[in-house]
Each structure stands twice: as structure tokens, then as C-alpha cells.
Amino acid sequence: MHEVSVTVNGVLRSATVPARRLLSDFLRHDLGCTGTHVGCEHGVCGACTVLLDGEPVRSCLLFAVSVDGAQLTTVEGCRAPDGGLGPVQRAFHECHGLQCGYCTPGFITTVTAYLRDHPDPTEEQAREAIGGNLCRCTGYQNIVASVLRAAAIQRGEA
Amino acid sequence: MTTRMFGEPIQRREDPRLVSGDGRYLDDLGQDALAAAFVRSPYAHARVTDVDVTDALDVDGLVAVYTYEDLDGRVAEPLPLLIPHPSLHAPRTGYPLANGIVRHVGEPVAMVVAVDRYVAEDVASLIRVTYEQLPVVVGIAAALRADAAVHEDVADNVAAHLVQEVGDARAAIDAAPHRLHLDLDIERSASTPLEGKGVYARWDPADRSLRVYSSTQTSTSVRFAVAAKLGIPVDRVEVVTPDVGGGFGVKIVHPWPEEVLVPWAAIRLGRPVKWTEDRREHFISSAHERAQTHAVDVGFDDDGRLHGLSVTFAHDNGAYTPYGIIAPIITSTQLLGPYKPGAYRVEFRSVYTNTVQVTPYRGAGRPQGVFVMERTMDAIARYLDLDRTVVRERNFIQPDEMPYDQGMIFQDGRPLIYDSGDYPAALDKLKKLIGWDDFAAYRDQARAEGRRVGIGIGCYVEGTGVGPYEGAHVRVETDGTVVVATGLTTQGQGHETVFAQVAAAVLGVPVEAVTVVTGDTRRFRYAVGTFASRAAVLSGNAVALAARKVRAKALRIAGEALEVDPRDLEVTDGVVHVRGTPQAQIALKTVAVLANPLRYAFDAEAARATQFAVGGSLDKPPVADDDEPGLEATDYYSPLRSTFADGMHAAIVETDPETAEITVLRYAVVHDCGRLINPRIVDGQIHGGVAQGVGGALYERLVYDDAGQLLNASFMDFLMPYASEVPVVEIDHLETPSPLNPLGVKGAGEAGVIPGAAVLASAIEDAEGIPITRMPISPSELWEARREGRR
Ligand code: FES
Ligand code: FES
């Protein structure tokens, strides 16, 4: 068993887990951050995407012990500072960018990281940015719209 | 003023929770529960001769292992046949754990319960099962050849045989000026929600009550099924559906082996138990659909008008038939689409194979039926050298022929009578939207540039809102909030929003004041479930009817309080007032207080309804004989028969002359689901449906080898479309109200997926000039088809 400590959404959290504990399970079951979802556990769907030191990673492909000491951001951490919806979350709500919501945490973390580096994407770039995440419900059209809307919100064009 | 709620594209009420990580899906619950895992058959057909758990028993953290021998009572019996049918002469269902024989890869053989899923899987891998392999049947052709049998006592592998005929189709075809024969096939696909199934059960021994959470499309029926299987009084069982990560049909089947075994184990162990399906389990042990082979004979005249149509098809139902023959019945009836077929004969056989069972996936038999009919329409057009839309138009049922009786029996056992629709108008809109009449010039120009482009069309009619019923309960609380409960379940369709819109519109309250609960048997006990595009029609109307009762009661009580005629009252923004005289008013929440005569003043509001505070006649009891306390009502909506939505899709594709890569350049939809409750949500349903239609036409198929191994049971190999594969969908609506229900609505959930294979086959055929007769089609298959000059 190993003691693993990570900073999740700004809060230091730790738990003692076996070496084989996936980061996705560590977050969900050891730390109770169930916003992060798993859709495949083989790295294809992107539902489990979290930000590891700011970069999107598939938490189902990492062992918790391998990220000891890291900074993690999950969908719960994509809120606005006042606790309300963050810009990407707000955009998904406004554009009907989700239906069942199961894939949504992976999209929100992915888009959050993308827009940090690409504040003003074209529609084509927005589609490309979400190209590694699966959604079975929406057909992606409103997710693309959500990416563009989130960019506009972040640029202050509320 | 209350805004017009019904028909507005308001934002969804469920979103803030779901975008923040505050959703609660099955596996988010029961963090302290024991975990279950299953040993599943690696063989498609085998006798289980021994299950040896010796090595497994030493594992730290193991709690229990169960095999068939451990099951007792009705748990040891086969799972129920949910929808019997007279033509399903040889129905077979599986056992919760295999009873001596396994009939598909993935069938559960042993159940392990341990402290967590890691340990449970460790144990499962140490259980040694000895199998004696039996001959395997894969594919419709092998099933019909019947060299081997999936079920020993069904030697010909035929589970069901059904014929329906209207007129003498074969004579009409023989007598027609022109005849064509087509062979048309569709392969297997599956619902594939992003969240798999899951069950979590808690038994309270002191209270002798069971709580089951399941990621299901029908909590009420799971409740009855679990109570019956486990021999517990229904009153001691509650089933709750938490947030569900998509269903698309697969989660309507119940009870799954796990839905029986997890509660059963929780009771035996006296501890909470949870099972969360992983992706591979979902591929090999839930359900698939779509695989059918069809032979079509059609007779028609010089104008392309149908005189007779005869379709014979075979439906691969996999190893078991828990859901009866609903999908092939739907194919056989909905194949007719918006057309008058002349005389029609349809015959199908539903056959067993050693593959995962087949139950409805969004569209449920319609994509196959529409593929067959629309391929036939295109073939007639090509034969007569007519425009494809012209042939369709000439065969349309006209608006003045509604209601139109197709003379058949539909999937609900009721007549196939279309209630309303305007197909010529829909076609007109579609042609404008896609630019049908200008396309020939574009195609020629593209050809000149060495490009291949084609346009395709597909029309469908969809029976939605099947019975028998749904109900709703609506209550106005004394703080003015409105609580709506309905028994059917939600998998992302936005029910919290649309049912709130319906209730808000009827009651005259802001939509923000309404909360909606679905799929929780603690809140509403009688329901059927979410399938067949029925939620908005069934529960939507039930909510409206219950809300109307509440409104009538509110006006009566307010009329007494204000001493005015209730007919002069209306409700605006939660306030009852005399029409035109805003001063004479009373808040709905105050009416709710007055509706419940009280003895005890538990808060200031309640004090107004206590016995010394209220006035009223001393000659009458506080609650009249025909009245009940509370500002609430329950009502049910039970339709006479299904209501028929319709739509038409068109697509433009480009095929690469070298690589045969297929690209969808444009995708247009005209959709008529009667009155729209929330256009934003309907459009979203269409987007998602089209993505599944495109996936089913170009990418998704479930590939079994001859040994019955599913070769692509992962997201790496089963090609669900990403954003790069799904075209932008252009939508236009027509709103032809249904005369059958108070709201005038029709279902919308499945529509988008239905004509996908038909439309894209039509467009690829147009681009390539070779017949496309089997879907899905990959670039390599198109390349082969080019070489053969047909597919
Ligand atoms: S769960 Fe990690 S990528 Fe699918
Ligand atoms: S919203 Fe359901 S999977 Fe994306």
C-alpha cells in the first residue's frame, strides 16, 4: 500500500492505496470526486479526462501512485471563483452541449485546457479540439457551439 | 407576466448539476458497498462441466462466490419473457447464472462479491470453469441452415414466424406492368450508451425493506420483477433510477441477471452490494440489434406507383428473446413509411444464433425497414428513369387521407392507423433545404473536376407514444413550489425541463418554481418506462392532465376565498387573480395552505389554515365528501393507439475516386413531431440521432467470427463516431399536431437515427452509379463494390 497525496482543485488530499489503483478510481472512490466519469477504461472515450499540472490526461490510463504530489483539476474545479458555473460549464448549459451528461466532465476539462492556449478558435479548430472525446448523445454539434461560446465568454463577450 | 412556457427553447434545468460534476450516476452511489464481478463464458456455445473455486477462496477480501447451484427459489428459474406474442412459438430466455449450458460469449457463469472491484476481478480470474464446447451458430444464414441448434429443443433455430398481408400482394405484383427484386442487408450494431449498466442494492434487515438503484429505463417494472424473483412483498421494495448516462434502448430490458443477483446477494450477505458494468461486459453481455436480411419483390406501373410489395426477411435475435419480437414487428409494419404500398405482404423469421441477445436499439427495427423501402423507391426511380423524389411523391399518403389505416397490427397490438401528417409539404421543405433541384448541375460540375458527389434521400414514419399509459402527480407546496413526479425514467432527454414547461404552462407559474422527479418508485409507483419515443407523449400529457386538475381545484378554493366565480379567475406568475382586476388576488401558495385544513400550526403559513382561523360553513365538513386535502392531483394518460411522427432526411456525400473514402458534405432534416414542447431539446435529439445514423451507416458494426467471438468488443475497434465523423445537421420543422392527445405532441427521441442507412446508401449510390444493397459500408467495401460493379 502507498500513501498518495495530490492537490485536487486546490485542496490537498491523500489516501493509502495499492499500487495498481487507477487515478480515475482513486479520484472517484478514494477521494469521492465522482464528477470524473469512466466510459471505457481503455483510454478511448475521454470521459475520465482531468488536468494534471494543467494538461489534459486520461485518468483511467494512469496509476494514482504515479501522480503523487501533482496538481489535479477535475470538472468540480472548473467552477467560477464564486462557486457558480465556470465559463465552459456555462457555455455547455447555454448551448445545450450535453444530454445525459456522462461524457460532459471530460469535455469540460478538455475544453478548459484548450481555451487557455487557444482563446479564439475557429469552428473547425473547436471541432478538432474535442476530437478525442466520445459523446453518444449530442452528435457534437452543440458541443462545438459550446466551445465557441465558452471562448466568447472568456474573452468577456458575455 | 408568465412567459409562454410551452414551445419555448428554454435552457435545461438539469444542466447546472451535470456540468458541475454534481450528477449522481449509479457508480457514484454506494461508495461503501461490496463490489460484484462476474465470470463470463469465453465460448459461444458450451456445456459447463465443472466450476472449481479452490484457488479463488484464499484471496484476501473475498466475501462470496455464487454459481447456479447456489441460486434458490425463483432466482433459479429462467429470466422472464417480457413481451410474449402468439407468433413467438419458441421463446427462450437465459438464467441469472448459466444453468449447465452457455449460449454466447459473455453469458454469466459465476458471481463474485468482494471488498472492491479489483479484488472481485482477481477472484473471478482464479475460478476455473471447465467447458465442453458445442457447435456454434453465427449469422442468419447459418441459423437458417440449422446444421447446429442454439437451443437443443429448437432444431430449426426459428424462434418466431409471422406473416401479415393486406390484399393479395403476390397477385398484384404478378399483374403489375413492372417488377423488381432486391436483396438488402443490415448488420449488427448496438445502443452503446457511454455509461454501462449498473445495480446497487441495500437491504435493511430491521425494516425488512430493499432499496435497489439501477441504471434502467424502467424502474417501476424492475421493482415488480425484483420483488417477484426474490419473493419479497412489492411494498418492501423500492427502485430508484439515479442520473443515467444514456440508454438508447438497451436499458429497457429487465431484469438483467445482475438486477436479480445483486439484490439477492445483498439480502443473503446483509450488506450493500454494487455492480458496475465495464465496457467489455457491455459489449458481450448486454444486447445488440439491427442484423437482418431482406428479400423484396415489388410491382409498379409506368408512373412508379406501387401495386404490390412483398418482403420476406430474417431477424437475428441472438441467443435469447427476452424482449419478444418487437424489433422485427416494427420493421414489418414501419417499413411502409409515408407510402401506400398497394397490396402488401410481409413475412419474417426470427432466428437464434450464439451471439448476444437482440433487443431494441433506438429506432428499433425502423432503420432496417426504412432502408428496405427507400432502397426500393430508389430502384424504381432508376428503373423508370424518374427523379427519386417524384416516385416518392406519387406514392405518398395525402394529408386529406388522414387518418390513414394501413390495415396492419402495430407493435402495441393496435391497428396501424396514421393519425396525421403532411408528407408532400415535408418533401417540399426538404428539397428546398438541401437544394435538391439544383444538385444535378453541381454533380456534373464536380464530375468535370474529377470529383464524385451524390445526393440521397430517406423518408420515414415513426409510430411513437405507445401505451399502455403513464401517470403524473402534481402538487403545489405551501411555499409555492410545484412538485411533479412521473414514473418513467430519464437518460438525458431533458425531462426535468420539458415536464416543468408543461406544468408551468398549465398552472401559470414560473418554470423555476417547478421541480420534476422521474424514475423513483418512492414518488410514483405506476409507470411503464422510457422507450419508443413515448415520454413526451405519455408523461407529457399525464403531467398536463394532472396539472389541469390542480388548477381547477386552485381556482375553486381561490374563488371561495375571494368570493368570486372561479370562471373569472386566472393564474399568472403563481398568483390567482380576477381577470382584468389585479387587485382581487391570492397567491397560489396561500391557496395550497387553504387546501389543507389544519389543527396544528407548524409554521406561520400553516396558521392560516388552522381550525379557528378559517371561516366557512359550519354545515359542511372541512373536507367535502368528494374532495381531498392538499393542492395536488394525480392523473394518467392512456392513448387509444400510437401517434405517428414523420420526417425526411437528405444528404450530400463525396466519395474519393482513389481511396473510396466517404465524406458527408451536408445533412438536412425535415422533422414533424407535432407540437414542440422545447425546440432546443428536439433539435438536440435529432443531432444525436443523426450521429448514430451516420455511425450505423458508415462505421459501426459488431463483428463475430465463426467461433462466436466478438472481435471488436472495445471502443478501440467498434468505431463510434467522434466529432470529426459527424456532419453538421441542418433542420427544418413542420408541426402537424396529433389529434390523439391533449397536447398535440408526437415523439421525437428516435427519429434522427431512423433513415441514416437509407439516406447515405442513396447518396453513395448516386455518387458511384452502382447499387448499394448492404449497410454499413466501409471504404474498403465500397472499393470492392466498385470492382464488382455492385454491392
Ligand atoms: S474512461 Fe478513460 S478514456 Fe474512457
Ligand atoms: S451527453 Fe451523453 S454521452 Fe455525451
Side-chain angles (χ1 to χ4, degrees):
Chain A
M1 298 292 264
H2 307 265
E3 159 113 7
V4 176
S5 298
V6 287
T7 304
V8 183
N9 304 324
V11 180
L12 186 65
R13 305 286 307 273
S14 51
T16 305
V17 297
R20 63 176 173 169
R21 179 80 88 239
L22 298 178
L23 177 57
S24 49
D25 287 338
F26 179 72
L27 284 167
R28 292 178 44 74
H29 301 309
D30 295 299
L31 302 185
C33 296
T34 54
T36 301
H37 296 158
V38 294
C40 69
E41 293 181 289
H42 47 250
V44 181
C45 75
C48 66
T49 305
V50 300
L51 305 185
L52 172 67
D53 297 326
E55 294 306 316
V57 296
R58 312 231 143 165
S59 62
C60 73
L61 294 183
L62 289 167
F63 292 118
V65 287
S66 69
V67 303
D68 189 32
Q71 299 271 348
L72 296 172
T73 306
T74 67
V75 66
E76 290 98 332
C78 295
R79 291 172 183 274
D82 68 358
L85 298 185
V88 180
Q89 294 168 330
R90 208 180 110 197
F92 272 71
H93 177 41
E94 288 178 8
C95 300
H96 188 23
L98 65 152
Q99 290 181 25
C100 78
Y102 199 76
C103 67
T104 310
F107 277 95
I108 286 182
T109 48
T110 301
V111 172
T112 298
Y114 176 77
L115 291 179
R116 190 190 52 213
D117 302 333
H118 308 84
D120 193 7
T122 64
E123 183 170 336
E124 208 181 316
Q125 289 166 333
R127 195 170 274 271
E128 180 80 27
I130 56 158
N133 289 59
L134 284 174
C135 172
R136 192 56 161 170
C137 298
T138 64
Y140 304 103
Q141 192 160 333
N142 289 346
I143 298 183
V144 173
S146 302
V147 176
L148 297 173
R149 175 74 188 125
I153 294 171
Q154 286 191 339
R155 291 194 308 266
E157 301 161 18
Chain B
M1 281 295 291
T2 307
T3 47
R4 198 177 73 94
M5 270 305 138
F6 190 100
E8 291 297 313
I10 65 167
Q11 291 170 8
R12 299 202 321 167
R13 319 258 346 265
E14 40 276 88
D15 289 350
R17 177 175 95 242
L18 300 180
V19 297
S20 309
D22 291 339
R24 285 294 172 268
Y25 300 83
L26 194 281
D27 190 53
D28 303 342
L29 310 171
Q31 296 287 358
D32 56 343
L34 299 172
F38 289 84
V39 177
R40 297 182 185 275
S41 172
Y43 297 114
H45 196 187
R47 207 176 299 283
V48 179
T49 54
D50 187 46
V51 182
D52 178 359
V53 299
T54 325
D55 295 347
L57 295 179
D58 300 333
V59 177
D60 234 18
L62 169 65
V63 176
V65 176
Y66 303 112
T67 66
Y68 179 78
E69 310 305 323
D70 299 302
L71 307 185
D72 54 9
R74 292 190 61 191
V75 176
E77 295 175 7
L79 294 164
L81 168 63
L82 290 169
I83 310 180
H85 188 283
S87 295
L88 177 58
H89 58 266
R92 297 291 179 272
T93 57
Y95 291 84
L97 293 172
N99 176 15
I101 293 191
V102 287
R103 295 189 179 82
H104 66 87
V105 170
E107 193 159 354
V109 175
M111 178 189 193
V112 177
V113 182
V115 289
D116 67 26
R117 178 67 178 242
Y118 289 73
V119 176
E121 289 188 20
D122 287 347
V123 173
S125 69
L126 292 171
I127 294 174
R128 288 184 213 295
V129 184
T130 314
Y131 298 91
E132 178 190 317
Q133 291 191 60
L134 296 168
V136 172
V137 179
V138 173
I140 288 169
L144 290 171
R145 265 200 318 275
D147 295 337
V150 176
H151 297 273
E152 211 172 4
D153 55 348
V154 187
D156 62 357
N157 290 317
V158 176
H161 178 214
L162 181 63
V163 180
Q164 286 205 73
E165 182 155 22
V166 186
D168 187 341
R170 283 178 286 204
I173 294 166
D174 285 343
H178 309 286
R179 286 176 290 281
L180 281 173
H181 176 90
L182 294 92
D183 291 301
L184 300 163
D185 301 347
I186 297 271
E187 291 186 38
R188 256 186 197 231
S189 189
S191 302
T192 327
L194 210 56
E195 181 205 35
K197 297 187 268 91
V199 190
Y200 162 47
R202 286 192 338 222
W203 169 249
D204 183 334
D207 190 49
R208 301 201 62 73
S209 64
L210 179 69
R211 167 100 45 91
V212 180
Y213 295 85
S214 181
S215 184
T216 178
Q217 290 175 221
T218 174
S219 51
T220 46
S221 197
V222 169
R223 173 170 175 257
F224 288 121
V226 167
K229 276 282 174 201
L230 302 186
I232 306 171
V234 172
D235 264 356
R236 308 314 294 161
V237 181
E238 300 291 359
V239 176
V240 182
T241 313
D243 287 319
V244 172
F248 313 113
V250 66
K251 294 178 183 177
I252 190 64
V253 183
H254 65 283
W256 290 97
E258 301 85 0
E259 275 172 332
V260 175
L261 294 172
V262 168
W264 176 81
I267 293 171
R268 279 175 86 102
L269 298 170
R271 296 170 68 182
V273 179
K274 181 169 75 172
W275 168 74
T276 307
E277 188 177 58
D278 70 23
R279 186 49 55 187
R280 179 169 167 79
E281 285 185 293
H282 188 76
F283 272 110
I284 64 172
S285 64
S286 58
H288 304 158
E289 207 226 271
R290 302 282 200 255
Q292 290 183 173
T293 58
H294 316 76
V296 182
D297 289 288
V298 61
F300 51 96
D301 61 22
D302 294 343
D303 293 334
R305 283 202 178 78
L306 300 182
H307 286 204
L309 177 69
S310 173
V311 179
T312 305
F313 72 95
H315 170 85
D316 176 354
N317 61 229
Y320 300 109
T321 54
Y323 212 73
I325 47 173
I326 289 297
I329 290 176
I330 294 176
T331 299
S332 67
T333 47
Q334 299 262 269
L335 187 150
L336 295 174
Y339 310 113
K340 293 178 276 192
Y344 176 52
R345 179 182 191 278
V346 64
E347 170 174 12
F348 71 78
R349 284 181 178 75
S350 185
V351 298
Y352 287 111
T353 57
N354 289 115
T355 59
V356 175
Q357 68 190 20
V358 166
T359 66
Y361 157 35
R362 193 182 204 172
R366 292 179 190 85
Q368 301 95 309
V370 170
F371 178 70
V372 167
M373 189 56 148
E374 295 298 294
R375 292 282 66 211
T376 303
M377 285 290 162
D378 281 1
I380 293 170
R382 177 194 268 250
Y383 180 87
L384 295 174
D385 197 21
L386 288 170
D387 184 276
R388 287 167 286 168
T389 59
V390 169
V391 174
R392 285 170 169 81
E393 209 160 18
R394 287 179 181 163
N395 286 289
F396 276 160
I397 296 160
Q398 297 300 313
D400 62 7
E401 294 176 281
M402 295 289 177
Y404 188 85
D405 187 348
Q406 288 279 22
M408 318 240 324
I409 299 297
F410 191 43
Q411 64 142 326
D412 51 3
R414 290 173 170 256
L416 184 70
I417 299 175
Y418 297 178
D419 52 330
S420 64
D422 189 342
Y423 310 138
L427 182 62
D428 220 44
K429 270 180 180 276
L430 183 70
K431 285 173 72 174
K432 288 205 181 79
L433 186 60
I434 195 83
W436 184 271
D437 291 334
D438 304 330
F439 187 76
Y442 175 68
R443 181 175 40 216
D444 292 346
Q445 183 199 329
R447 278 262 169 207
E449 294 163 9
R451 294 170 57 209
R452 293 185 191 182
V453 294
I455 193 167
I457 181 170
C459 310
Y460 67 92
V461 167
E462 181 198 1
T464 70
V466 303
Y469 72 89
E470 289 296 334
H473 178 256
V474 174
R475 180 173 60 238
V476 180
E477 303 281 17
T478 54
D479 64 358
T481 57
V482 176
V483 184
V484 173
T486 186
L488 57 63
T489 59
T490 301
Q491 305 83 40
Q493 300 92 334
H495 295 152
E496 286 179 54
T497 305
V498 291
F499 298 153
Q501 286 178 269
V502 171
V506 174
L507 289 174
V509 300
V511 75
E512 294 75 25
V514 187
T515 58
V516 175
V517 176
T518 61
D520 184 339
T521 65
R522 295 171 300 183
R523 301 292 300 280
F524 206 88
R525 293 184 175 284
Y526 286 98
V528 185
T530 298
F531 56 91
S533 303
R534 68 193 296 280
V537 182
L538 276 289
S539 280
N541 278 293
V543 169
L545 293 173
R548 285 181 190 179
K549 280 190 179 173
V550 171
R551 179 187 161 90
K553 180 167 184 176
L555 297 189
R556 174 169 58 75
I557 295 169
E560 285 163 17
L562 298 171
E563 297 180 335
V564 297
D565 187 333
R567 282 170 301 190
D568 295 333
L569 292 171
E570 62 185 15
V571 193
T572 308
D573 264 343
V575 177
V576 189
H577 59 93
V578 177
R579 200 169 292 123
T581 319
Q583 312 85 279
Q585 63 171 49
I586 179 169
L588 205 55
K589 64 181 183 181
T590 310
V591 177
V593 171
L594 298 178
N596 181 24
L598 291 171
R599 187 170 175 87
Y600 308 117
F602 43 78
D603 62 17
E605 279 298 326
R608 304 173 66 164
T610 50
Q611 57 196 10
F612 298 106
V614 292
S617 164
L618 297 180
D619 300 331
K620 285 196 273 175
V623 178
D625 288 349
D626 58 353
D627 204 1
E628 291 173 359
L631 189 49
E632 64 179 357
T634 298
D635 209 342
Y636 293 85
Y637 172 66
S638 180
L640 187 60
R641 51 180 181 266
S642 297
T643 171
F644 289 81
D646 64 271
M648 299 179 189
H649 295 195
I652 295 174
V653 303
E654 175 156 7
T655 55
D656 189 300
E658 302 271 315
T659 64
E661 189 183 351
I662 302 158
T663 310
V664 183
L665 300 178
R666 282 185 65 199
Y667 201 104
V669 172
V670 170
H671 183 250
D672 188 347
C673 61
R675 292 182 67 199
L676 300 174
I677 303 174
N678 184 324
R680 178 194 300 267
I681 285 176
V682 173
D683 284 357
Q685 290 293 312
I686 294 171
H687 293 167
V690 168
Q692 281 173 322
V694 171
L698 301 180
Y699 307 106
E700 295 171 15
R701 76 184 76 204
L702 290 158
V703 183
Y704 278 96
D705 70 8
D706 290 342
Q709 294 294 337
L710 184 56
L711 299 180
N712 58 343
S714 84
F715 279 167
M716 278 172 279
D717 303 309
F718 177 78
L719 303 179
M720 236 157 77
Y722 285 101
S724 43
E725 282 78 50
V726 180
V728 171
V729 185
E730 304 160 51
I731 302 175
D732 197 357
H733 288 282
L734 209 64
E735 289 194 59
T736 312
S738 170
L740 295 181
N741 63 70
L743 295 178
V745 297
K746 303 179 178 185
E750 294 169 280
V753 78
I754 292 171
V759 174
L760 292 173
S762 177
I764 294 166
E765 182 171 289
D766 188 46
E768 293 283 328
I770 48 175
I772 303 295
T773 60
R774 294 171 52 197
M775 294 296 267
I777 186 166
S778 67
S780 50
E781 285 163 325
L782 177 57
W783 198 79
E784 278 299 327
R786 281 177 182 168
R787 294 205 325 171
E788 294 164 20
R790 63 167 289 119
R791 176 179 157 82

